[in-house]
Amino acid sequence: MGNLNNKIALITGAGRGIGQAIALKLAADGADTAIVDLKPEFCAETCEKVRALGRRAWAYGADVSKAASVEETVAKVLADCGKVDILVNNAGITKDTLLMRMSEADWDAVLDINLKGTFLFTKALAREFVKQRSGRIVNIASVIGLVGNAGQCNYGASKAGVIGFTKSVARELASRSVTCNAVAPGFIETKMTAGLSEELRQKMMANIPLRRLGSPEDVANAVHFLASDQAAYITGQVLTVDGGMVM
Ligand code: NAP
């Protein structure tokens, strides 16, 4: 028996990377999962791995930055699964360049997916959580939202926005026993960071007290805790998972 038996977790951007690791961690503790990625076929690998753990998995194609797509997806998830207990807003992108070279399109794309996407999915499920008098919302922010980074003003703004959003939603939904927290990963080995030069990697590593990059599983462990009953008295918090980079 897992602690998350009979719970349904919806994870966005769960086709690969951190989102996939979160889905597998929650499933390993008993949750059934609604896997959301841009196209349903991108969800296939994660669904297969969740099923291999003996849990149910449903695949949904949705663009988190489009209200109609999000609303339609949430309606389908509720029809298929009956409810949602845990929402993990994980889908995110980067479009890095220096401020003076950044196009309006690069700004809009990152804000739309990282911040507006988090708003749209949270809004679409808020009524259900309030009716249920329970619910766990975990938003994936980033340490860049706390300390900033040259070349990432769009990304940093989006993730700082996610943190402000998290705290406001936490205050709004607390009276209904719904919690809303953020996890702020540091430098995690995924496709998002695979393209970084060796030089940049070494430079970043020098700033990580624990002297290694994080794994998607390191992030998933923190999300699992915040999604569990053990975190019932924790809301509006930002948990950094960064090897001690920001302290
Ligand atoms: P990733 O490997 O690039 O995975 C991101 C996932 O989000 C992909 O499956 C992607 O789908 C999906 N996605 C992108 N745009 C979407 C949209 N409009 N609608 C639905 N899904 C969409 O990235 P990751 O490293 O796992 O990152 C996951 C989260 O962690 C992000 O929010 C990121 O900002 C955050 N984070 C990552 C790091 C890090 O070091 N990796 C550090 C701090 C925070 P496609 O396959 O179609 O592209």
Side-chain angles (χ1 to χ4, degrees), residues 212-235:
R212 68 169 175 90
L213 304 189
S215 66
E217 290 71 28
D218 288 321
V219 180
N221 289 337
V223 173
H224 171 252
F225 168 64
L226 291 172
S228 73
D229 284 347
Q230 277 75 49
Y233 200 55
I234 300 175
T235 196

Side-chain angles (χ1 to χ4, degrees), residues 13 16 18 37 42 62-64 90 140-141 155 159 185-186 188 190 193:
R16 60 162 197 247
I18 293 172
D37 211 299
F42 297 165
D63 182 344
V64 300
N90 165 79
I140 307 303
Y155 187 75
K159 295 302 190 178
I188 310 297
T190 67
T193 48

Side-chain angles (χ1 to χ4, degrees), residues 6 9 12 28 35 108 112 130 140 155 158 210-211 236:
N6 303 317
T12 69
I35 304 299
D108 285 347
D112 281 357
V130 164
I140 307 303
Y155 187 75
S158 74
L210 285 174
R211 286 289 182 267

Side-chain angles (χ1 to χ4, degrees), residues 12-20 22 36-39 42 61-66 69 89-94 109 112-114 121 139-144 155 158-159 183-194 196 214 216 219 241:
T12 69
R16 60 162 197 247
I18 293 172
Q20 181 179 88
I22 293 168
V36 179
D37 211 299
L38 260 180
K39 298 218 166 91
F42 297 165
D63 182 344
V64 300
S65 66
K66 302 277 187 297
S69 175
N89 286 303
N90 165 79
I93 62 163
T94 52
D112 281 357
I113 292 173
N114 298 5
F121 255 101
N139 298 323
I140 307 303
S142 165
V143 292
I144 307 305
Y155 187 75
S158 74
K159 295 302 190 178
V183 169
F187 191 8
I188 310 297
E189 293 262 32
T190 67
K191 198 171 167 197
M192 193 178 260
T193 48
L196 297 177
V219 180
V241 179

